[in-house]
Amino acid sequence: MKIAMAGEVPVSEVSWAGADAVYTQAYRDLLRVAYVLTGSGQAAEDVVHDVFCRVGPRIAELDNPAAYLRVAVVNQCRAIHRRSTRAPRPDRPADIVLDTGLTELRDALQQLPARQRTAIVLRYLCDLPEAEIADILDCRPTTVRTLVHRGLADLRTRIS
């Protein structure tokens, strides 16, 4: 039996009330955001799972759990990009067929700087307003507009 240290809540007393409902509502959207930001299905699942494990016990205390989880997922994806090394990606198995347009878009998004990619994903995939994206990225709304504008211009040149 594990004894709780000072300030640590015993596992049996942790409240997961409401976490199931939030999980079922937000999981798919968070997984899409994490996938686009990481470029890997496995990494996206790991990110979303880790975020839910960290936030789950406190979910009932949050005013807007979906927004909090979205910010946590974006921050976790940033941390992964900071830690990752530029190792070559393994080739895809031959039996997987992807739409070439989606593959080209995903590859072009991965070549953008992380802040531009995050701003574009939050704006167009999550349909968030600039003010909320600015809060997530810890910048001004005008910076968000600039990031999105420059990112889209870069995407247009890469995809055309």
Side-chain angles (χ1 to χ4, degrees), residues 45-111:
E45 288 177 0
D46 289 345
V47 165
V48 173
H49 176 75
D50 290 347
V51 166
F52 269 110
C53 286
R54 280 197 324 268
V55 177
R58 302 178 281 134
I59 206 111
E61 302 168 9
L62 301 174
D63 293 332
N64 188 349
Y68 187 89
L69 289 167
R70 186 173 37 249
V71 171
V73 165
V74 169
N75 287 338
Q76 184 70 20
C77 290
R78 277 191 205 154
I80 287 173
H81 284 291
R82 278 194 303 265
R83 287 187 304 242
S84 70
T85 58
R86 292 286 182 195
R89 298 170 100 179
D91 291 334
R92 293 194 181 276
D95 60 343
I96 295 178
V97 178
L98 296 174
D99 180 13
T100 56
L102 291 176
T103 305
E104 189 176 6
L105 176 62
R106 186 202 61 218
D107 292 344
L109 273 171
Q110 290 301 317
Q111 293 175 3

